[in-house]
Amino acid sequence: MAKQESSMSKEPAHKKNQHVEGAEISGQSQSLHNLTEKTECEKGKTCSTGPTDQRSKPHMKWKSSGISASQSGDKVRKKYSEGEGKSRAGSLTAKKKASGKSKSVKIQETSKCKASISLEDSESSSETDEDEHPVRRQEGGSDLSAEYWGIQKLAKYVKGGDPTATLIALCSMRDFDLSEETCQLAIKDTGCLEVLINLLDTEEIKCQIGSLKILKEISQNILIRHAIADLGGLEIMVKILDSTDTDLKCLAAETIANVARFKRARKTVRKHGGIKKLVELLESISVASSYQVKDTETVRCAALALWSCSKSIKNKKAIRKAGGIPLLARWLKCSHANILIPIVGTLQECASEPSYRLAIRTEGMIETLVKNLSSEHEELQMHCASAIHKCAEDEEIRDLVRKHEGLQPLSALLDKSENKQLLAAVTGAIWKCAMSRENVLKFQEYKTVETLVTLLTDQPEEVLINVIGALAECCQEEENRGTIRRLGGIAPMVTLLTSTNPALLVNVNKAVGGCAMDPENMAIIDSLDGVRLLWSLLKNPNPGVQASAAWALCPCVENAQNSGEMVRSFVAGLELLVNLLKSNDKEVLTSICAAIANIAKDEENLAVMTDHGVVPLLSKLANTNNNKLRRHLAEAIAHCCMWGSNRVAFGEAKAVAPLARYLKSKDPLVHRATAQALYQLSEDPNNCVTMHENGVVKLLLAMVGSTDDILQEAAAGCIANIRRLALATEKAKYG
Amino acid sequence: MRVSTRSLLCPCVCLCPTRPCGPAAPPGRGRPPALPGQRRWERLRAAMSPKGRKLLVDTLTRSAKHFTKSEVECLIKLYDTLVAKASRQFAGAGFDRTVFRDTLYSYFGMTDDMVLDRVFIIFDKDNTGRITVEEWVEGLAPLLRGTLEEKMKYCFAIYDLNGDGYISKKEMFEMLKHSLLIQPGDEEPDEVVKDLVDIALKKMDYDRDGKLSFTDFEKAVRDESLLLEAFGPCLPDLKSTMSFEQKIFREIPKK
């Protein structure tokens, strides 16, 4: 009988227990020591980042003072965890003993790694979450709270009792308010966290459940999350997902969902096959039969865990490889909000991957997402809108949203302006959907533009970015430009030109540019000093902002009254513009060329730009394969030829030969612009020679027959000039 | 299989396996005076004809509530096996504490002596010191398939050592005193256990009267289901239940 075994193994356990005692005591004094140390730290300077919990702080200290010290540190830990393993020998299975030993090695390794990479944890990641190792906030004095002592007392029973005593202690521990930070940290500091995780590694289902119930609550705390991951808790929880007990599986999944909120944890889950198991849990029951709360609990918890994990790009791929997408599609059709929310949350996270968007399109998920936009749960609505926002990058999906009548509920949701997160998601969805012209027309039916204009003021930035983006897309339609003006939307837009958020600025520029295509709007923009603001954005360090500002300037210059004077009125404005031709960013270069093409239509301004050296700068760009850049560059050159000796200058700067090569591209817009440029350049005889040498005539001859009038004329004119020169040369030669 | 239904007249729960500690039963097959209810029961068993057997099965199916008829048959078969094993050692009906404990250990892995004693007492409703087939089947019902209410009643009965309807601190102490590994250099070991008892009481004693009534216990278990076996494992765990059912009910005849 087990009782006899326990009495026998008590003897050897005795000896180890002494070690345990020793380690425990030293551990305790360490913690007190640390606490006083920390408070001193607080008073003086701010403590540096780095793990400050009890276990690794001494470790780091010893590490710096020499190898032997760190080894002794390791030994203490090893005995501590080994001793723990042994002290339960009488009560728990032998398997646990072995795992206790291996755990001690693991703990050492992970903490060693942790010490060295803790500072690197704060690498930049695409996910905006807590990757830096959390710094512990210190409370004032060295008074340990009442909770600390209570929990420590219970911890004693958890560590030193058989499953019965452990259970009683664990159940009592839940009477503390585990959502309070003092309790959470108390559990960590008393070493109870390690014991809880050790319990997970046993075969005692009730103890595992009891431990997980506590871990689930306290893992809301960021320090505890990191600690759990460091102690190898995640691997064990992933193993538990294989168990047959439903309650246990659900608790494990929910705890994983809480812990996996930072990058390293998500990686751990993936590395131990957790993603696959979670996806399998989704498969466990069919949707139709699931009207019992207990059955669907597994699915809900698994979905929550997948949602947390899906924030990592590699995990998104892993979910797909494990066959998660059809399952997500299946569960999307269920009607329980508490399952739907994590499922849609996961989809929305993953929708940034093109493979998911393809699946979302083909598995018919758009229809369900649209349907759920009309749900009563605002959180669900928000996630659906977010998913649509991310998916609508693809044109097909935009069409699908329209086909399933998704635009109307989106528009209706704009009225719920108190819930800012929902509003941000909805406006985001509207923005991306508006990239398709048919959608914009639909939005006009629902008077969306009017509502959007009212949202231009008094909104948080995430909302504003999307609202302005949406308006920018809508401005491509003439009617909307008028609507915006009538509703007084232009003034707030121009005010936003002074903001500092780059994403916002890019959208505002686009919107202002879009509005400026209407001359009446342009007048208002000008009166509000909008052009000057746009121009000064050319100085912004962000290339996206520069480019969008330059693009916006094109219609401004085109449509403004007295645009020539207006441009000249900006002190050093043209110099700034021309100097941007030295940028490295292709989009910036393209947009500047477009702006220059517009500005050069005014002679005086062209003269000024020439003085600033626009000709050599443009010529330097000529060697490019980028069609968009080629087109605008050719246009700019064409217009810049109209002043003084620029034609000759271009020829000397060796711009002509590269231009000739543009004719070989497949883009008709490039052809048109190049032909115009060549026509202008061919007024100078030297350029004609260069062009002829580069085989321009043959290519232009083909274009003479094109349907594009401008191209025809320009091509013909250029060929004519070349011919005339040839004839004149002949005449001169032969008299 | 014919089995004699002689019951030992010793109502005390002594451990003597071979002889009652009261006046010795006469050897041979004389019928001892029957306890109330025993007569009908004996008639049923003694008959052992197919009809008698069927009647037995029907009765038990009704009273045990959780088993089907074929499952009851299988349990009776198991009982017979156990009794046969026991009869080889001594004469008498049913099987006694030792066999019972061995059985529970081998099928369900239950090891705690104190709990096993209590379980035996609960099974043995008429306090004869031996488990009859009726007690066997009816006793197994809550163990294997009880509803939460039945399990709560069962566990409470186990923990209530003196059967007074309350689990007192003393009783809790008795049950928990072997649950803790006492470390040397600790305060008095008794104090440590008493602390644990206090913790348990604080958690479960809703009416604050210093002892656990069934109401207290029930409320505590409904609040936190892990507390069902708070003072010691007395129910078989899921795995052993499933393997027991698989093994014993395997030969359910297909109707």
Side-chain angles (χ1 to χ4, degrees):
Chain A
M1 295 272 180
K3 272 191 47 147
Q4 291 141 0
E5 285 175 320
S6 66
S7 54
M8 282 205 302
S9 61
K10 258 182 194 160
E11 266 71 58
H14 259 30
K15 243 200 323 184
K16 291 286 176 187
N17 284 341
Q18 278 169 346
H19 288 300
V20 172
E21 276 292 279
E24 249 189 81
I25 291 177
S26 71
Q28 297 291 23
S29 63
Q30 203 84 52
S31 72
L32 286 175
H33 172 68
N34 284 348
L35 274 169
T36 47
E37 218 194 355
K38 283 167 202 162
T39 49
E40 282 170 5
C41 216
E42 265 270 284
K43 287 181 204 151
K45 46 178 172 107
T46 46
C47 280
S48 60
T49 61
T52 53
D53 59 315
Q54 175 189 337
R55 283 195 148 309
S56 25
K57 189 144 202 272
H59 191 75
M60 269 186 82
K61 251 178 29 187
W62 291 330
K63 200 171 178 180
S64 59
S65 62
I67 303 176
S68 56
S70 70
Q71 272 178 354
S72 73
D74 292 346
K75 260 200 228 134
V76 171
R77 284 149 144 294
K78 190 163 181 185
K79 284 206 188 119
Y80 188 80
S81 22
E82 221 183 80
E84 257 173 49
K86 286 268 159 62
S87 71
R88 303 183 66 95
S91 339
L92 300 178
T93 60
K95 175 186 182 288
K96 211 221 136 269
K97 261 193 267 181
S99 71
K101 274 209 189 98
S102 64
K103 178 143 284 92
S104 61
V105 174
K106 240 197 295 179
I107 291 179
Q108 282 176 54
E109 282 175 0
T110 54
S111 65
K112 267 200 193 122
C113 298
K114 187 175 78 133
S116 54
I117 64 170
S118 63
L119 296 170
E120 284 146 39
D121 257 345
S122 51
E123 346 176 304
S124 62
S125 64
S126 59
E127 301 99 13
T128 51
D129 62 355
E130 42 185 76
D131 282 333
E132 311 97 44
H133 205 87
V135 175
R136 176 124 165 223
R137 276 176 294 134
Q138 301 303 329
E139 283 95 50
S142 46
D143 250 348
L144 298 170
S145 56
E147 283 96 359
Y148 181 88
W149 294 116
I151 288 184
Q152 187 180 48
K153 190 156 155 207
L154 289 176
K156 194 168 67 169
Y157 290 107
V158 177
K159 288 181 205 172
D162 75 346
T164 311
T166 305
L167 267 177
I168 295 180
L170 285 178
C171 294
S172 302
M173 213 180 277
R174 292 190 60 216
D175 283 340
F176 288 97
D177 184 5
L178 292 176
S179 60
E180 264 228 19
E181 194 171 16
T182 37
C183 294
Q184 294 162 344
L185 295 178
I187 293 186
K188 185 163 174 291
D189 292 337
T190 51
C192 204
L193 194 57
E194 284 91 331
V195 185
L196 287 174
I197 294 183
N198 277 345
L199 278 176
L200 289 183
D201 215 2
T202 66
E203 301 269 318
E204 296 276 335
I205 292 190
K206 294 208 284 283
C207 289
Q208 288 173 308
I209 293 182
S211 165
L212 274 175
K213 279 186 180 171
I214 297 181
L215 285 173
K216 183 181 89 164
E217 294 291 325
I218 60 176
S219 56
Q220 308 275 4
N221 177 306
I222 176 174
L223 281 171
I224 306 261
R225 289 204 273 281
H226 281 258
I228 293 180
D230 293 337
L231 290 168
L234 278 170
E235 292 92 314
I236 306 179
M237 284 188 241
V238 167
K239 233 183 352 182
I240 290 183
L241 290 174
D242 283 330
S243 137
T244 45
D245 185 303
T246 329
D247 286 331
L248 191 55
K249 277 193 283 205
C250 292
L251 281 169
E254 256 191 289
T255 316
I256 292 179
N258 283 344
V259 178
R261 288 192 200 160
F262 61 103
K263 198 166 168 198
R264 191 160 45 94
R266 295 196 280 264
K267 187 171 171 189
T268 314
V269 174
R270 182 180 74 246
K271 288 254 149 89
H272 291 270
I275 304 279
K276 193 153 185 295
K277 292 191 189 167
L278 288 169
V279 171
E280 273 164 25
L281 281 179
L282 282 183
E283 218 168 349
S284 48
I285 32 174
S286 72
V287 184
S289 71
S290 57
Y291 286 90
Q292 317 295 336
V293 176
K294 191 135 198 268
D295 297 332
T296 56
E297 191 61 14
T298 324
V299 175
R300 182 187 74 92
C301 299
L304 278 172
L306 279 175
W307 185 10
S308 285
C309 291
S310 63
K311 295 195 170 78
S312 288
I313 298 183
K314 289 198 181 153
N315 284 359
K316 296 185 226 232
K317 295 203 177 102
I319 295 179
R320 180 167 49 91
K321 285 209 187 106
I325 300 188
L327 288 166
L328 288 171
R330 199 213 292 180
W331 281 105
L332 198 58
K333 301 198 178 83
C334 98
S335 49
H336 293 260
N338 59 352
I339 296 186
L340 265 183
I341 291 180
I343 296 272
V344 181
T346 313
L347 272 175
Q348 169 263 110
E349 274 299 332
C350 295
S352 49
E353 292 282 302
S355 48
Y356 274 87
R357 293 204 286 270
L358 175 65
I360 290 179
R361 199 169 74 224
T362 49
E363 303 252 0
M365 295 198 227
I366 296 285
E367 192 178 350
T368 326
L369 285 174
V370 166
K371 192 178 77 168
N372 280 313
L373 281 175
S374 325
S375 138
E376 328 155 305
H377 294 263
E378 285 192 357
E379 202 186 335
L380 184 55
Q381 291 173 316
M382 174 179 81
H383 289 302
C384 287
S386 241
I388 294 180
H389 170 42
K390 292 202 183 159
C391 292
E393 293 283 340
D394 293 347
E395 194 180 338
E396 294 93 337
I397 294 194
R398 297 202 281 269
D399 290 336
L400 276 173
V401 174
R402 185 182 66 253
K403 287 207 181 84
H404 289 289
E405 323 228 337
L407 299 175
Q408 199 266 328
L410 278 176
S411 194
L413 278 172
L414 282 177
D415 294 327
K416 288 209 183 160
S417 54
E418 309 81 38
N419 183 335
K420 297 301 175 190
Q421 280 183 321
L422 175 58
L423 194 56
V426 171
T427 47
I430 293 181
W431 170 20
K432 294 293 171 166
C433 284
M435 289 189 188
S436 284
R437 191 169 170 268
E438 298 94 337
N439 290 358
V440 176
L441 295 172
K442 268 280 172 175
F443 276 133
Q444 277 170 230
E445 275 174 47
Y446 303 129
K447 305 265 175 249
T448 314
V449 180
E450 283 84 335
T451 328
L452 283 173
V453 172
T454 59
L455 291 173
L456 276 176
T457 41
D458 271 344
Q459 296 295 340
E461 256 180 16
E462 321 70 84
V463 176
L464 275 179
I465 295 180
N466 295 338
V467 170
I468 296 268
L471 285 173
E473 297 296 332
C474 291
C475 279
Q476 308 296 324
E477 285 297 308
E478 206 181 314
E479 197 184 317
N480 294 329
R481 295 177 215 151
T483 315
I484 295 178
R485 182 183 67 246
R486 268 181 294 115
L487 294 167
I490 301 198
M493 267 197 233
V494 173
T495 330
L496 284 171
L497 283 172
T498 50
S499 101
T500 48
N501 182 323
L504 181 56
L505 281 174
V506 168
N507 284 354
V508 177
N509 291 344
K510 193 158 180 211
V512 172
C515 285
M517 294 199 261
D518 178 316
E520 281 187 52
N521 290 358
M522 189 55 223
I524 304 183
I525 295 177
D526 199 9
S527 67
L528 292 167
D529 221 8
V531 187
R532 186 180 60 80
L533 288 169
L534 272 177
W535 209 290
S536 52
L537 282 176
L538 290 174
K539 287 190 266 191
N540 190 298
N542 183 312
V545 177
Q546 290 172 337
S548 54
W551 284 117
L553 281 173
C554 298
C556 285
V557 167
E558 231 183 279
N559 292 318
Q561 301 271 35
N562 301 325
S563 70
E565 266 190 50
M566 175 186 75
V567 170
R568 274 193 294 283
S569 68
F570 299 133
V571 178
L574 287 170
E575 192 181 345
L576 171 61
L577 190 71
V578 171
N579 279 331
L580 277 175
L581 284 174
K582 297 180 195 153
S583 153
N584 288 323
D585 184 291
K586 281 271 173 347
E587 190 67 18
V588 173
L589 292 173
T590 316
S591 54
I592 297 284
C593 288
I596 290 179
N598 269 303
I599 295 175
K601 291 179 191 159
D602 177 287
E603 225 180 49
E604 267 193 68
N605 290 338
L606 178 50
V608 176
M609 285 201 287
T610 314
D611 285 341
H612 288 303
V614 75
V615 172
L617 286 170
L618 283 177
S619 309
K620 251 205 301 220
L621 298 174
N623 260 321
T624 168
N625 284 325
N626 182 320
N627 275 335
K628 205 169 162 201
L629 178 54
R630 281 176 166 183
R631 170 185 158 207
H632 291 283
L633 181 59
E635 273 181 25
I637 292 180
H639 285 103
C640 286
C641 282
M642 317 264 206
W643 170 256
S645 56
N646 283 356
R647 291 189 179 88
V648 179
F650 275 124
E652 282 166 7
K654 311 224 192 304
V656 182
L659 272 180
R661 282 199 288 280
Y662 290 7
L663 289 174
K664 296 201 186 127
S665 115
K666 304 253 188 335
D667 189 337
L669 292 168
V670 174
H671 294 170
R672 181 208 279 194
T674 315
Q676 285 178 301
L678 288 174
Y679 175 40
Q680 295 298 331
L681 287 168
S682 63
E683 304 278 334
D684 171 61
N686 288 325
N687 291 344
C688 283
V689 173
T690 325
M691 285 187 222
H692 186 77
E693 279 170 4
N694 278 287
V696 141
V697 179
K698 191 151 160 229
L699 295 162
L700 281 179
L701 269 176
M703 289 177 202
V704 170
S706 131
T707 47
D708 183 343
D709 286 347
I710 302 182
L711 176 57
Q712 267 188 322
E713 274 191 52
C718 186
I719 295 178
N721 285 343
I722 299 179
R723 284 275 54 222
R724 245 178 254 129
L725 177 62
L727 282 171
T729 322
E730 283 222 17
K731 244 199 217 152
K733 242 208 275 191
Y734 301 112
Chain B
M1 183 195 326
R2 295 212 57 185
V3 177
S4 72
T5 53
R6 194 175 315 150
S7 56
L8 294 177
L9 261 183
C10 179
C12 77
V13 292
C14 62
L15 294 181
C16 29
T18 52
R19 290 252 170 270
C21 43
R29 303 194 10 171
R31 290 262 164 104
L35 292 174
Q38 200 111 29
R39 198 148 274 174
R40 164 189 68 95
W41 179 190
E42 276 181 22
R43 266 185 268 132
L44 287 174
R45 286 290 275 131
M48 264 333 189
S49 63
K51 189 162 177 229
R53 180 101 169 188
K54 184 165 180 306
L55 222 56
L56 174 64
V57 169
D58 284 340
T59 322
L60 286 177
T61 315
R62 249 176 294 129
S63 60
K65 284 184 267 183
H66 289 291
F67 297 123
T68 66
K69 284 199 192 152
S70 25
E71 288 170 347
V72 172
E73 288 239 13
C74 294
L75 285 177
I76 296 181
K77 227 195 270 178
L78 174 61
Y79 176 82
D80 288 339
T81 328
L82 294 173
V83 167
K85 193 164 66 157
S87 309
R88 269 185 249 119
Q89 293 172 348
F90 49 88
F95 55 84
D96 75 339
R97 190 190 300 262
T98 324
V99 178
F100 181 76
R101 273 159 46 156
D102 281 341
T103 316
L104 284 192
Y105 175 64
S106 66
Y107 282 117
F108 300 126
M110 292 168 73
T111 55
D112 187 329
D113 283 345
M114 176 187 272
V115 169
L116 282 170
D117 276 346
R118 297 288 309 151
V119 177
F120 180 83
I121 292 177
I122 292 196
F123 266 55
D124 186 19
K125 290 186 221 147
D126 51 11
N127 275 329
T128 54
R130 309 187 69 83
I131 304 289
T132 61
V133 70
E134 191 181 64
E135 291 168 343
W136 169 247
V137 174
E138 288 179 0
L140 278 179
L143 229 67
L144 296 176
R145 298 199 183 161
T147 63
L148 187 59
E149 272 81 18
E150 290 172 359
K151 284 188 176 162
M152 284 198 281
K153 288 205 183 90
Y154 168 81
C155 293
F156 188 81
I158 297 226
Y159 298 139
D160 183 8
L161 298 178
N162 58 5
D164 65 351
Y166 289 99
I167 306 180
S168 67
K169 277 171 89 159
K170 210 155 163 269
E171 290 169 339
M172 289 192 239
F173 185 89
E174 274 304 306
M175 293 187 280
L176 291 177
K177 68 183 177 194
H178 297 294
S179 284
L180 292 177
L181 205 65
I182 307 300
Q183 318 207 351
D186 224 356
E187 324 115 58
E188 288 185 38
D190 275 1
E191 282 307 311
V192 181
V193 182
K194 284 209 181 116
D195 271 343
L196 184 60
V197 169
D198 285 334
I199 291 176
L201 206 57
K202 187 166 144 215
K203 173 85 189 165
M204 297 168 64
D205 186 15
Y206 283 90
D207 54 17
R208 301 267 164 252
D209 58 358
K211 47 192 179 171
L212 293 183
S213 63
F214 182 67
T215 330
D216 287 335
F217 186 75
E218 188 185 357
K219 250 196 245 171
V221 172
R222 286 202 192 277
D223 179 50
E224 173 58 79
S225 56
L226 290 173
L227 288 172
L228 183 60
E229 297 174 75
F231 300 111
C234 50
L235 289 167
D237 61 81
L238 189 62
K239 237 198 232 165
S240 24
T241 313
M242 286 194 338
S243 69
F244 176 84
E245 293 214 2
Q246 244 178 0
K247 214 152 100 183
I248 303 302
F249 295 151
R250 181 179 29 181
E251 306 116 14
I252 292 188
K254 301 252 162 56
K255 293 252 168 77

